Amino acid sequence: MLDLSDRAYKTYELGKREPSLSTVLKFCEIFEVDLVWLINGGLRTEQDQADLATIATRTADAVYRQIMNDDPKMTAPQFQKFFAYVLEQAVHNKAVPEEEAKKIHQIFTGKNGET
């Protein structure tokens, strides 16, 4: 999948040689893993953890506000799916939680920008 020779793979696996940045990025893309996780085993810095907490808080607030405006009867499982999707977009694709929540809610309700 990484288009490596057996020899190259073995030298990486045995720690005899470091893979190129392009190989590392390809690995992250193919196996859908975070570069920080790959480099240091998932250990994030305190700033990364604080940023993630801020993104999660903003996402929860954005999703909650969007739902309460139009659909206060949304079930907990629906809310969880909505929240998880918006959070994933914010973390992995650097989407703005407030904008992503509004956009996704408009798609769900069929209110594509209508006021």
Side-chain angles (χ1 to χ4, degrees), residues 67-68 70-76 78:
I67 291 168
M68 295 318 291
D70 289 332
D71 193 4
K73 295 179 184 175
M74 182 178 275
T75 66
Q78 290 171 324

Side-chain angles (χ1 to χ4, degrees), residues 27-106:
F27 181 93
C28 290
E29 182 180 319
I30 290 171
F31 297 104
E32 298 180 4
V33 296
D34 182 66
L35 182 60
V36 173
W37 174 86
L38 185 63
I39 292 171
N40 66 9
L43 302 174
R44 294 187 172 269
T45 65
E46 287 183 28
Q47 183 61 46
D48 288 340
Q49 291 173 351
D51 291 346
L52 186 57
T54 300
I55 291 169
T57 300
R58 284 180 59 197
T59 301
D61 183 62
V63 170
Y64 180 79
R65 288 175 186 272
Q66 197 62 53
I67 291 168
M68 295 318 291
N69 285 336
D70 289 332
D71 193 4
K73 295 179 184 175
M74 182 178 275
T75 66
Q78 290 171 324
F79 178 85
Q80 290 167 349
K81 285 181 182 178
F82 190 171
F83 175 83
Y85 180 81
V86 173
L87 181 61
E88 181 178 328
Q89 295 306 305
V91 171
H92 295 292
N93 298 328
K94 308 290 188 232
V96 176
E98 295 82 358
E99 293 173 9
E100 193 68 20
K102 182 177 182 179
K103 180 172 65 175
I104 298 305
H105 191 260
Q106 288 173 343

Side-chain angles (χ1 to χ4, degrees), residues 19-30:
S20 67
L21 180 57
S22 62
T23 299
V24 171
L25 293 173
K26 189 173 182 181
F27 181 93
C28 290
E29 182 180 319
I30 290 171

